[in-house]
Each structure stands twice: as C-alpha cells, then as structure tokens.
Amino acid sequence: MKDIIIYTSEHLRTTTKTACVAEAISDALDRLHVKHLELKNTNDYWCRDYMPVMISDDGTYAKFKYEPDYLVEDEKLHDYITPQQVACNGLNLFMPADMKITFDGGNYVRCGDKVIMTDKIFSENPEKKVTELLQDLEKTLCAEIVLLPWDMKDFCGHADGMVAYLGDGRVLLNGCWINPKRKQNMAFHRRLRRILNGHFKEVIELPFWDGDEDSWCYLNYLKVPGGVLLPCLSENFDSKDDIAALNYFKGLFSKMEVIPIYAKPLVKGKNGGGALHCVTWEFIEK
C-alpha cells in the first residue's frame, strides 16, 4: 500500500463537545507516524459517510450520491448534508467509478474481494430492481456483495458498526446483539453469523461486556499502519468494559500498538452516534 493520510472533518476539532476527540486522534496518529489532515468543505464531522469509498488499495475510489434518508426527511437537518463533490475539492482523487446510486460510506466494509453492506441499500434506491442494483454494485465495486439484514434500531443502517475486516478472510462480528438483557436480539445475531459463515473463512465474535450500554462502539475502531485506535467510554480508560476491551484488542492485534481514545462524545453525538471509524477517512497518495 502507498502512503496513507487519515482525514477528519474540521468540524470534529471546532465542535466544542468533540474537540477532545480530535486532539486525541491527532496525538495518536503522530505517535504512530501516520500523516493526518483536515477536510475543510464539510457540513458535519461524520466524514466516513459522505466521502468516496476506496475500491482498491492503490487509491482507486468510487463516488456516489450522498442524500441519506435520516437527514433528507427532516428539514431541520438538511444543513448537515455534505455534497460529496464539494467535500472532495482540492483532493487529487482517482475516481473512475461512479456507483450512480444513493449511498452512505458508513454502510461499506471492504473485505478484499468482498464488500459487506446492509440491505438498507434497497430502501434508499427504490427505483432500481433488487437484482439490477446488486449487479451494478458488483460491477462498479469489483466485489462480491455480502448483504446483512438492517438492524432497524440503527436508523443509519450502517455496516461498519456491525462488522470489521481483519484480513485473510476473517471478520470481526459485533457481540452487541447477545446482550443477555435483550434476548430478542440473539436470533438476529445468529442470522448474521450464518450469513457471514457462508462467505468468510472465520467469523470472530467481539464479546459483549455487560456493563455500559454503549459498548457496541468498540467495533468502530480505526486501524492504521502500526496501530489500532480503540474508542473507549471512560475518560481514564478505567471502566470495567474499557479494560476488558483494551485487553481483548491487544490480544487480537498482538503485533500492533492499541491506543485508547476517549470517544463518549461521539457515541452520544449529534444526529445519532458513532465512533472513530465514522469520523475518519483514508486517502491513499498516488
């Protein structure tokens, strides 16, 4: 892979509530000697959602129309919609592919020659037949599309809070649906597991630590050369869940440095919640 730059929106730093997260991300990336910059032409800090998706490690991207229903359907939220073309101003992006559909970058998990997304993609593009849409996606993204059911408790319908790719045919599945206090979700978890088992060599389950209800956020980490930035929920990373998650990820990524980042302001962020993967975007320098 060529040199990578991690981008965040300037709104992450200039929004009072999230400024501490921006500073912590910056410090961690400096520590790992990973270049990082800010996007200037944006309307909110969830830059993963509106920036183009990478379709190969050589820095090839695909563009799409960013008009998410959760912003479009509420007139008060229209100002948060960032036009993709505007956000990309000044970037030397190689974007030969155009998905030509309404899409959301948070609903895109690249796994080598596969892409995981939720079936919310169908409701966002009702004018297209299901088979036609899938064929177009596979052709444009040069990948097999692996569809997961949309957990409708998450209005965004994002896949990047459900699974993460570990490489070598392995995926990490969020364990948040096996919370013993929410037994009705265990069937949903089994369904996810069955689907993923049919496409990947190994499905590893991220444990659910029965403490903070927001412990789903650990899955939304950021992996960069040399390290993993792990979202945490206590300012000193000393809660029971944070300690368990840090130990787990240090074992999972034993050859990398795992750096905890206090991310509670994002998890309880404006217009819904997210974590470190949601507020970052990778750019490959050509």
Side-chain angles (χ1 to χ4, degrees), residues 9-259:
S9 164
E10 65 178 347
H11 288 282
L12 189 67
R13 176 180 51 82
T14 60
T15 300
T16 302
K17 183 178 179 180
T18 60
C20 62
V21 183
E23 182 178 2
I25 291 174
S26 175
D27 290 346
L29 294 175
D30 284 342
R31 178 168 157 183
L32 294 168
H33 306 290
V34 175
K35 186 176 180 180
H36 55 95
L37 297 169
E38 285 187 340
L39 297 164
K40 301 298 182 183
N41 304 304
T42 65
N43 294 334
D44 74 21
Y45 49 68
W46 303 114
C47 61
R48 178 71 58 177
D49 298 343
Y50 48 76
M51 295 302 288
V53 294
M54 190 190 306
I55 60 176
S56 72
D57 288 344
D58 66 355
T60 301
Y61 293 82
K63 52 189 173 182
F64 53 86
K65 181 168 61 175
Y66 179 68
E67 293 181 356
D69 54 7
Y70 51 86
L71 297 182
V72 170
E73 293 172 2
D74 188 340
E75 190 173 346
K76 298 190 296 293
L77 300 179
H78 285 186
D79 288 345
Y80 292 117
I81 299 175
T82 297
Q84 187 176 95
Q85 184 175 354
V86 174
C88 293
N89 282 349
L91 299 179
N92 184 26
L93 276 171
F94 180 53
M95 292 194 294
D98 187 346
M99 296 166 68
K100 296 181 179 177
I101 62 169
T102 299
F103 196 68
D104 188 328
N107 194 22
Y108 180 92
V109 179
R110 187 87 193 187
C111 308
D113 60 355
K114 298 178 176 65
V115 167
I116 300 175
M117 61 182 67
T118 72
D119 56 17
K120 186 173 187 281
I121 189 68
F122 299 135
S123 65
E124 293 172 325
N125 296 275
E127 74 286 354
K128 281 186 171 284
K129 295 180 180 179
V130 170
T131 53
E132 177 188 357
L133 179 56
L134 287 176
Q135 288 172 358
D136 289 349
L137 283 170
E138 291 192 338
K139 182 179 179 180
T140 304
L141 299 175
C142 304
E144 174 192 354
I145 304 301
V146 179
L147 285 171
L148 297 181
W150 172 18
D151 178 2
M152 299 186 73
K153 295 184 181 67
D154 169 23
F155 62 87
C156 295
H158 289 174
D160 71 348
M162 302 173 76
V163 291
Y165 187 51
L166 297 173
D168 193 29
R170 300 174 304 136
V171 292
L172 184 65
L173 172 62
N174 206 328
C176 62
W177 295 281
I178 52 177
N179 181 347
K181 296 178 182 178
R182 302 168 65 189
K183 293 181 181 178
Q184 69 274 20
N185 289 329
M186 297 183 75
F188 184 81
H189 181 86
R190 289 194 295 269
R191 186 179 174 193
L192 296 177
R193 180 72 191 241
R194 283 196 300 269
I195 293 170
L196 294 170
N197 281 340
H199 294 275
F200 296 95
K201 290 195 301 186
E202 185 179 9
V203 179
I204 299 171
E205 294 193 7
L206 177 65
F208 179 83
W209 295 284
D210 190 19
D212 195 312
E213 64 179 1
D214 292 323
S215 63
W216 58 264
C217 76
Y218 300 122
L219 191 283
N220 201 256
Y221 60 87
L222 176 67
K223 183 181 177 183
V224 297
V228 171
L229 277 59
L230 182 68
C232 288
L233 297 168
S234 56
E235 291 190 62
N236 296 317
F237 322 122
D238 56 359
S239 71
K240 181 180 177 181
D241 287 355
D242 281 353
I243 292 170
L246 278 163
N247 288 332
Y248 181 85
F249 275 84
K250 286 176 181 177
L252 188 63
F253 296 101
S254 58
K255 296 181 180 180
M256 306 181 78
E257 182 176 5
V258 178
I259 301 177

